Each structure stands twice: as C-alpha cells, then as structure tokens.
Amino acid sequence: YGIGPDEYMVFGDAMNDLSMLAPARNSWCSVRSVEEVKEACAYVFDPPEEGGVLGILQELAAELREPHD
C-alpha cells in the first residue's frame, strides 16, 4: 500500500502479533507481554488499569494539540 514503517503504529501483546510488531517503528506492547514480544517492540505501555493503550493515545493526542514552532 506504500505505507512506510514509520507511518503507522501498532499495538499487540502476544506471539501472534509479532509479524505486525516487528516491522513497525512505532510498535507498542503491554508490560505484561512475554519477553519475546517486548523485545520486538519499540515501546512498552502500562497495564489497562494504569492507562494502557488509551493512555498512550491520549498522550499522543495531547502532543498533536500542542503548538509547534
């Protein structure tokens, strides 16, 4: 589709997600994921009760709303 690895983000938490996590530059997995999944990800997020995916999306949205020079 012509989308580069730095133009999308993926979230996963299990071995079946490795094929989508590995090529993405913005790959996220849960702190509760198995070690192999965490090693394939660029970032690790908190468990749901501490923000989880929603917390990441809220942080990214806040950054987009900030004025840029």
Side-chain angles (χ1 to χ4, degrees), residues 31-58:
V31 68
R32 295 180 180 157
S33 299
V34 296
E35 213 48 50
E36 189 173 350
V37 173
K38 287 193 251 184
E39 289 172 7
C41 289
Y43 307 97
V44 176
F45 59 83
D46 293 331
E49 60 274 7
E50 295 178 27
V53 173
L54 178 59
I56 299 301
L57 294 175
Q58 289 173 327

Side-chain angles (χ1 to χ4, degrees), residues 9-34:
M9 59 188 329
V10 294
F11 295 87
D13 63 354
M15 297 295 289
N16 66 317
D17 297 324
L18 283 175
S19 63
M20 73 172 181
L21 293 168
R25 291 203 182 120
N26 294 301
S27 55
W28 297 78
C29 68
S30 170
V31 68
R32 295 180 180 157
S33 299
V34 296

